[in-house]
Amino acid sequence: MISIQNLYKQFGDKEVLKNINTKFEDGKVNLIIGRSGSGKTVLLKCIIGLLKPTAGHVLFDQRDFHSFPGHVQNELKMEMGVVFQGSALFDSLTIEENVMFPLDLLTKKSYQEKQERANYCLQRVDLENTNKLYPSELSGGMKKRAAIARAISSNPKYLFCDEPNSGLDPKTSIMIDELLYSITHEFNITTIINTHDLNTVITIGETISYIQDGILEWKGTKDEVLISDHDKLNDFIYAQPLTQKMRGFVK
Amino acid sequence: MIKKGLILLGEYFIFLGKVFAKPIKWKLFFKKLIDEMYNMGVGSLPIVLIVAVVMGAVVTLQTGLQIESNWVPKWTVGFTARTSIIMEFCPTIISLLLIGNLGSRITAEIGGMRVTEQIDALDVMGINSSSFLVLPKIVALLIVNPTLIILSMFCALLGGYFVSLTSTVVAPYDYIDGITSFFRMYDVYYSLIKTFVFAFVIGSVASFYGYKIEGGALELGKASTNAVVTSSFIVLILNLVITQIML
């Protein structure tokens, strides 16, 4: 379980995260939702160690991540897989090399073992025939899937995704959502996804944390999110004309 | 302004502290080193050699035109041209050329990785991204820069020889006599020490500016320009300092 306790993050005078307290459950898809600029990415970066919180704790199974020295943090990072908003695949490497990269650096497996694992991961995300292609030769959705393959190649305990659907068409978004959901349950990973995609929220959000202006405003599940009485959450969920029509139907 | 400069200098030394860490895997380090040496060395070879030949020709021509006196022996043209080429023109001018060619490329490459979150991806894997990306580049430059500059010295002297063949400022025999007279190995050592220092400056400053980019494509362009300007300035100042110390 990942537990966030009294987390604050400040940039200069600007307080971006204010007293965040929440838990992300094991083996489930945990969503962090909110408007652009609400602090979702900063929270995710604090969790994965790219940013140091101004105050507070991030506990991975009771292990206080930010209290550890660098080399212990690095060991803990080996238990994480991260899918970045822009995929962050290495341009100079082929897709297969990208997926093998964490294994090259962090394991002592033979080349054949690494290749087998890379092939398995690529197969799992339906990218069997892309081994020798470079990231620039893939579409946006394929890049996202390749990034997921790289993230799961080292068999992580925790998977983090920063807006995995951004810039994708609705059908590809659904495919990515389904993939993340099935991977989470197949490998019993604790997954945290940053998103503002409503479809993701209502289809795969097993736990949902809503953030606004750096404050955790609401927490619930996909079944509760549409019928909540929380005004700020409803302003976010029912912001579009289509969802406003849907609201009457839901009620 | 001074405070900003000092903060930048502090950030640079902290960055260097992270760069000079033990590589996570030596095998990967050497693979990257070979790739970098190949890309930097082979990529820069044509332009360096062309510039060296032209530079050598111009230096010889200018020297010959300045020393048109019956009181000065003819071999002085070759001697003066060789000394200027070995001690000053090749190490400094070629290093300035490499700042424009390799320095800006290094900044753009590392900055591009920063902008597209590839550096973040390395960091979350528990890898020291500064060491992983920058150390092979600096070591490659420390090998490639002196090699290119030694080659450029030969080409510049060859350029001078072409001038002696095609003009009347100095006869080929006098030119050969000049470039082989009073040769001091110390001049080459002095020159090589400069190239090592300049190589380190080119690699580390360009990487630093690329690594610390925050933002997007606009910042990438600015960072490349800043890296080239700062590296050139530091190289020229260090040239003066090293010359004062060694000569």
Side-chain angles (χ1 to χ4, degrees), chain B residues 88 92 190 194 198 233-247:
Chain B
E88 196 53 52
T92 311
Y190 157 78
K194 285 209 293 191
F198 296 165
F233 179 72
I234 295 173
V235 160
L236 292 172
I237 296 292
L238 286 175
N239 188 26
L240 180 69
V241 173
I242 296 169
T243 307
Q244 279 282 359
I245 294 170
M246 291 190 68
L247 296 182

Side-chain angles (χ1 to χ4, degrees), chain A residues 77 84 89 91 104-105 107, chain B residues 24-25 28 118 123 127:
Chain A
K77 281 177 181 175
F84 286 90
L89 295 168
D91 301 324
D104 276 338
L105 281 166
T107 69
Chain B
I24 191 161
K25 273 199 177 175
L28 273 172
Q118 292 175 49
D123 286 333
I127 296 161

Side-chain angles (χ1 to χ4, degrees), chain B residues 33-56:
Chain B
L33 178 65
I34 301 291
D35 285 349
E36 295 289 357
M37 280 169 59
Y38 178 81
N39 290 334
M40 288 176 183
V42 176
S44 309
L45 198 59
I47 185 74
V48 165
L49 297 188
I50 291 167
V51 168
V53 170
V54 175
M55 191 171 64

Side-chain angles (χ1 to χ4, degrees), chain A residues 119 153 192:
Chain A
N119 284 336
S153 66
I192 299 179

Side-chain angles (χ1 to χ4, degrees), chain A residues 20-221:
Chain A
I20 304 283
N21 285 286
T22 188
K23 282 176 182 166
F24 299 106
E25 292 176 27
D26 285 340
K28 284 190 176 173
V29 177
N30 303 275
L31 302 186
I32 302 170
I33 63 169
R35 293 177 61 186
S36 299
S38 58
K40 301 189 299 288
T41 302
V42 173
L43 175 59
L44 196 75
K45 284 187 173 179
C46 285
I47 297 172
I48 62 180
L50 284 177
L51 290 174
K52 195 170 167 34
T54 310
H57 307 276
V58 178
L59 306 172
F60 286 83
D61 297 314
Q62 304 304 318
R63 296 170 293 176
D64 191 350
F65 182 73
H66 292 283
S67 71
F68 292 139
H71 68 279
V72 183
Q73 281 188 6
N74 285 346
E75 280 171 24
L76 223 156
K77 281 177 181 175
M78 289 173 198
E79 296 177 15
M80 301 178 193
V82 182
V83 179
F84 286 90
Q85 197 172 349
S87 305
L89 295 168
F90 302 119
D91 301 324
S92 56
L93 304 179
T94 62
I95 296 303
E96 184 184 77
E97 287 166 343
N98 261 288
V99 178
M100 281 165 64
F101 187 81
L103 306 174
D104 276 338
L105 281 166
L106 308 171
T107 69
K108 286 179 180 167
K109 288 182 176 173
S110 68
Y111 180 78
Q112 202 185 340
E113 284 173 315
K114 286 184 278 191
Q115 203 177 26
E116 275 172 20
R117 177 70 188 160
N119 284 336
Y120 170 75
C121 293
L122 286 171
Q123 202 181 352
R124 186 65 194 78
V125 298
D126 289 330
L127 285 177
E128 290 98 338
N129 301 317
T130 58
N131 292 44
K132 301 298 170 202
L133 296 180
Y134 284 89
S136 58
E137 296 173 278
L138 301 188
S139 68
M142 289 164 95
K143 278 184 194 169
K144 285 275 160 69
R145 281 187 278 151
I148 294 170
R150 184 179 68 183
I152 61 169
S153 66
S154 57
N155 234 334
K157 212 170 159 185
Y158 314 101
L159 180 64
F160 302 93
C161 307
D162 189 15
E163 303 197 14
N165 298 330
S166 68
L168 300 180
D169 66 89
K171 268 210 145 170
T172 313
S173 290
I174 292 168
M175 193 198 288
I176 296 286
D177 285 344
E178 285 171 352
L179 183 64
L180 289 170
Y181 185 83
S182 61
I183 282 171
T184 300
H185 291 278
E186 189 180 326
F187 302 115
N188 194 31
I189 300 172
T190 304
T191 299
I192 299 179
I193 302 174
N194 257 0
T195 188
H196 44 218
D197 188 300
L198 268 189
N199 188 64
T200 309
V201 174
I202 58 174
T203 52
I204 64 166
E206 290 174 289
T207 78
I208 301 164
S209 306
Y210 173 66
I211 291 184
Q212 188 174 317
D213 300 326
I215 298 168
L216 183 69
E217 293 281 357
W218 182 87
K219 200 161 181 210
T221 65

